Amino acid sequence: MREKATVLNADDIERIIKRISHEIVERNKGSENLIFIGIQKKGVPLAKRIKESIEKITNSEIKLGKLDISFYRDDVNEKIKSDVNITDIPFEIKGKDIILVDDVLFTGRTIRAAMDAIMDFGRPQSIQLVVLIDRGHRELPIRADYVGKNLPTSLNEFVEVKLSETDNEDKVTICWI
Amino acid sequence: MVEKKDILNLDKFSIKEINDLMNMADSFTEILKRDVKKVPVLRGKTIINLFFEPSTRTKVSFEIAAKRLSADLINFSPNLSSLKKGESEIDTLKTINAMKIDLVIIRHSDSGYINYFAKNIPVPVINAGDGKHEHPTQALLDLYTIYKNFSKLEGLKVAIVGDILNSRVARSDIKLFNKMGLDVKVVAPSMLIPQNFSCFNAKIHSNIEEVISEADVLYMLRMQFERQDKKFYPSTKEYNEFLSLNLSRLNKMKKDSIIMHPGPVNRGIEISDEVMEMQEIVKDKIKINTQVANGVAVRMAVLYYALS
């Protein structure tokens, strides 16, 4: 896989986290009723960063859950997935405003699966979606509420998100397949 | 065409694949703790439970596992079927196959029948008990139960006690435990040891007292009276003397060691009444019900594996 271009560097990502944190606080008039859920894998560290940033802004404590959507996918017959990650939502989500976080928004199928999974845990007041990159090509009527960067891509391009928690650096690149 | 994923035994599974299945079972264990204990991953799949031999826990366990994954499961009862009218088993299977089933779970008392069955049907077949041969999902849930208890496998000492000769659980367990690096011993009199047992990597003892104080896992097998065409043991009294788990032997066990049994327990034979009655009090030690609970998550992993 040949690297094509760096889309975001570490400073860009940090600024985006700060900006989105403020947007979330503004739109929800604080952070009292918020719960963060990160989609495995890259959504989890992103959710943690935004959550911690908001905790500083509003001087509060916010809960963070992890969600693996393997068993809610609509394409099990096409892909075999043996590395299933943990789901950990050890608190009540009924009536809460959920901030759902993922790294890249593409077809929308992951988010559809994540929303189904969340509904099995309880009935939240609302679900708002945060993504670091929106690369287009939606196959379902799904949109993000908070977008780090809109990145028009073609279908034979691949967006790679690296985060220091898992890859030792913060960087988003766009590559040819 | 992709090869269908039968699970007749675990021989062809690598250590990594076994670990993957156990990780998957972990994910399913989490789902079983939720309010809505169901995920849609196998929606639209049809599974048939084909039990030619009686079963409580395995049959119900597979049924719950399939339903938790949103598959449709049909229970087939040979006693109420056209088999009673003289239809052959292979014709019964072809009839069932014509109904577009996605997966067959099967138990049969004739050793090897399931392999023959699997060769003649184009969908995945899961062995839920093959005569005296293999019981792979029991072995997986036993391994998973041990792993969840000790958080490791390598080097643990397991003693499997009782009717090795007639037990498919023993065969599947010994092979899987050896593969995963456990140290396996068996305790049984020579008439309950199969011929050519030397091909299994397990030392043979004849008295439970020889292993009781060193075993991390004491695995008590059920006496398989239904498979014993002659009397293998002179008396219950003698069985009790050499092979049974009673209160005084329970007290000799290592701290942190556990007791397992595939069920159903013949009380007063493998395990004494007193010990069975202590299950609630010493539930960190007696894992029989934990095995049953883990069975559902492990079978969910197996069904997911076979159908994805």
Side-chain angles (χ1 to χ4, degrees), chain B residues 157-161 187 208 211-212 215-220 245 253 257-261:
Chain B
K157 291 191 166 72
V158 184
I160 301 180
V161 184
V187 183
I208 192 171
V211 299
I212 192 91
D216 296 300
V217 178
L218 192 63
Y219 198 104
M220 308 302 290
L245 180 65
M253 289 181 69
S257 61
I258 59 170
I259 296 156
M260 293 168 69
H261 189 296

Side-chain angles (χ1 to χ4, degrees), chain A residues 22-34 58:
Chain A
H22 282 283
E23 283 178 17
I24 292 172
V25 174
E26 183 189 10
R27 179 156 155 193
N28 292 282
K29 301 186 168 61
S31 62
E32 242 172 57
N33 202 39
L34 298 186
T58 61

Side-chain angles (χ1 to χ4, degrees), chain B residues 253-271:
Chain B
M253 289 181 69
K254 254 201 315 212
K255 189 175 169 283
D256 301 330
S257 61
I258 59 170
I259 296 156
M260 293 168 69
H261 189 296
V265 175
N266 295 309
R267 281 186 183 224
I269 300 180
E270 301 102 57
I271 302 181

Side-chain angles (χ1 to χ4, degrees), chain B residues 123-134:
Chain B
V123 298
V125 171
I126 294 180
N127 171 4
D130 171 13
K132 298 178 182 181
H133 275 172
E134 294 263 9

Side-chain angles (χ1 to χ4, degrees), chain B residues 19-278:
Chain B
N19 282 323
D20 283 348
L21 279 174
M22 291 205 293
N23 286 336
M24 222 183 274
D26 258 346
S27 299
F28 289 121
T29 300
E30 180 272 319
I31 287 164
L32 295 174
K33 288 180 188 148
R34 295 183 191 171
D35 284 347
V36 179
K37 298 175 184 55
K38 201 174 174 97
V39 287
V41 72
L42 296 185
R43 201 173 46 190
K45 301 286 183 192
T46 307
I47 296 173
I48 191 159
N49 239 353
L50 211 53
F51 279 66
F52 292 99
E53 191 189 272
S55 165
T56 310
R57 62 211 79 213
T58 306
K59 188 173 167 194
V60 173
S61 182
F62 267 115
E63 185 164 353
I64 294 174
K67 290 185 172 168
R68 298 284 189 244
L69 295 170
S70 305
D72 298 309
L73 183 130
I74 293 147
N75 272 309
F76 175 88
S77 310
N79 289 336
L80 303 172
S81 73
S82 288
L83 284 167
K84 285 274 157 197
K85 298 182 193 160
E87 186 174 26
S88 77
E89 285 175 358
I90 199 75
D91 287 342
T92 301
L93 122 84
K94 293 206 162 134
T95 307
I96 290 164
N97 193 33
M99 296 179 197
K100 303 281 174 247
I101 301 290
D102 296 295
L103 180 138
V104 179
I105 299 162
I106 175 169
R107 165 174 288 195
H108 203 288
S109 55
D110 293 345
S111 310
Y113 177 80
I114 293 173
N115 291 50
Y116 164 73
F117 191 101
K119 277 194 195 111
N120 287 287
I121 194 161
V123 298
V125 171
I126 294 180
N127 171 4
D130 171 13
K132 298 178 182 181
H133 275 172
E134 294 263 9
H135 194 351
T137 59
Q138 178 73 41
L140 276 173
L141 76 89
D142 288 339
L143 186 78
Y144 183 67
T145 302
I146 294 171
Y147 180 69
K148 293 313 280 180
N149 188 72
F150 294 97
S151 305
K152 66 163 190 174
L153 291 170
E154 191 82 33
L156 288 173
K157 291 191 166 72
V158 184
I160 301 180
V161 184
D163 186 359
I164 311 284
L165 178 66
N166 295 295
S167 172
R168 55 194 173 216
V169 175
R171 283 171 181 73
S172 290
D173 271 358
I174 294 169
K175 287 200 288 179
L176 182 64
F177 293 173
N178 272 328
K179 180 191 296 218
M180 302 306 284
L182 288 87
D183 171 41
V184 185
K185 292 192 168 85
V186 299
V187 183
S190 55
M191 60 275 204
L192 288 176
I193 298 278
Q195 283 183 339
N196 303 323
F197 186 73
S198 53
C199 66
F200 291 97
N201 179 20
K203 199 170 170 232
I204 303 170
H205 294 262
S206 56
N207 190 335
I208 192 171
E209 297 282 350
E210 294 162 24
V211 299
I212 192 91
S213 59
E214 62 166 44
D216 296 300
V217 178
L218 192 63
Y219 198 104
M220 308 302 290
L221 291 171
R222 188 172 64 85
M223 271 297 258
Q224 310 259 312
F225 294 112
E226 75 278 19
R227 272 182 250 288
Q228 299 175 357
D229 36 17
K230 54 184 178 194
K231 212 159 177 193
F232 283 94
Y233 223 75
S235 68
T236 303
K237 188 162 172 279
E238 197 169 325
Y239 195 97
N240 289 156
E241 191 179 336
F242 293 105
L243 298 169
S244 303
L245 180 65
N246 54 33
L247 216 46
S248 83
R249 284 176 177 153
L250 181 75
N251 290 328
K252 288 182 194 164
M253 289 181 69
K254 254 201 315 212
K255 189 175 169 283
D256 301 330
S257 61
I258 59 170
I259 296 156
M260 293 168 69
H261 189 296
V265 175
N266 295 309
R267 281 186 183 224
I269 300 180
E270 301 102 57
I271 302 181
S272 75
D273 253 329
E274 300 162 302
V275 175
M276 286 302 284
E277 288 304 322
M278 287 179 68

